Amino acid sequence: MQPRRRETRMIRKVFYRLKRDYGFPIRLYKITNVTLDLEAGTKTRRVRYKSIPRAVFVTAKLYRSFVYDLSFIAVNKNFVSGGFFDPEDRVILIDWQDTRDFEIEVDDYIVYNDKHYLITQVRTFENDAGYLVKVRGTTGSELVDAGALEISSDIEITQTVAADAIP
């Protein structure tokens, strides 16, 4: 057996174990088209989504971040303004077999547990065995979850047809 095939098989076994023990269902969304109606002031998005039965979540940062305001740094070196915040950065392991016809790209987004995560970085494992996706939780963004929408249709019959049976 070739070394590359052995490594790929080992990666797939590890994926299977992680998915089985720590996997959560997520939906992966790709915005395919955005239409702006300037008169009404509305934005219509067309999305394509893929349900992934088990993806593995890993916390990327466990510490509090601080961001400086650059305008205060440039004007007065002694006075610095900024703020502490807790980033919701996470790393998600996704198996290639769950996304065969769906290409994961930056600026796609993921919905997990009714929370919106924007994809900021995508890495591919050797021989396309899986993806290592870095996401950032977005607070206050509009949640467009097409998988949670109900689609129904009503059929109204307006004509009737009568026919005699042919012997």
Side-chain angles (χ1 to χ4, degrees):
M1 184 179 281
Q2 298 173 351
R4 294 281 183 193
R5 294 178 81 193
R6 198 174 314 147
E7 290 173 7
T8 305
R9 192 170 80 186
M10 190 225 15
I11 290 172
R12 289 210 171 123
K13 281 183 178 181
V14 170
F15 261 124
Y16 177 74
R17 287 183 191 143
L18 287 171
K19 283 170 46 176
R20 186 182 60 201
D21 294 339
Y22 305 108
F24 294 100
I26 63 170
R27 283 195 201 94
L28 180 62
Y29 288 88
K30 180 180 293 295
I31 297 175
T32 58
N33 188 10
V34 177
T35 306
L36 297 173
D37 185 3
L38 298 176
E39 292 179 7
T42 59
K43 180 167 56 170
T44 306
R45 292 185 191 119
R46 297 189 117 203
V47 295
R48 182 176 161 227
Y49 79 95
K50 175 87 174 170
S51 292
I52 297 174
R54 290 186 179 264
V56 180
F57 272 78
V58 180
T59 303
K61 286 189 177 181
L62 290 174
Y63 57 89
R64 187 164 281 208
S65 294
F66 184 80
V67 176
Y68 292 100
D69 188 5
L70 292 177
S71 63
F72 287 111
I73 293 173
V75 174
N76 187 358
K77 305 284 187 214
N78 296 329
F79 179 72
V80 178
S81 177
F84 286 101
F85 67 98
D86 295 321
E88 292 188 43
D89 291 349
R90 293 186 139 193
V91 174
I92 303 174
L93 300 172
I94 299 176
D95 191 3
W96 175 82
Q97 293 177 348
D98 295 335
T99 61
R100 289 177 194 240
D101 60 338
F102 204 91
E103 185 178 337
I104 301 174
E105 296 174 344
V106 175
D107 295 334
D108 294 346
Y109 65 95
I110 289 174
V111 174
Y112 163 68
N113 205 12
D114 294 331
K115 181 131 179 70
H116 187 274
Y117 292 94
L118 184 66
I119 296 176
T120 57
Q121 195 174 22
V122 179
R123 301 276 171 115
T124 306
F125 281 103
E126 189 72 29
N127 295 335
D128 293 331
Y131 299 99
L132 186 71
V133 180
K134 187 174 180 183
V135 297
R136 173 162 284 172
T138 54
T139 306
S141 63
E142 180 184 356
L143 183 64
V144 180
D145 191 0
L149 298 176
E150 251 183 64
I151 299 174
S152 64
S153 63
D154 296 329
I155 299 174
E156 185 177 327
I157 299 174
T158 58
Q159 297 178 351
T160 58
V161 176
D164 294 331
I166 299 176

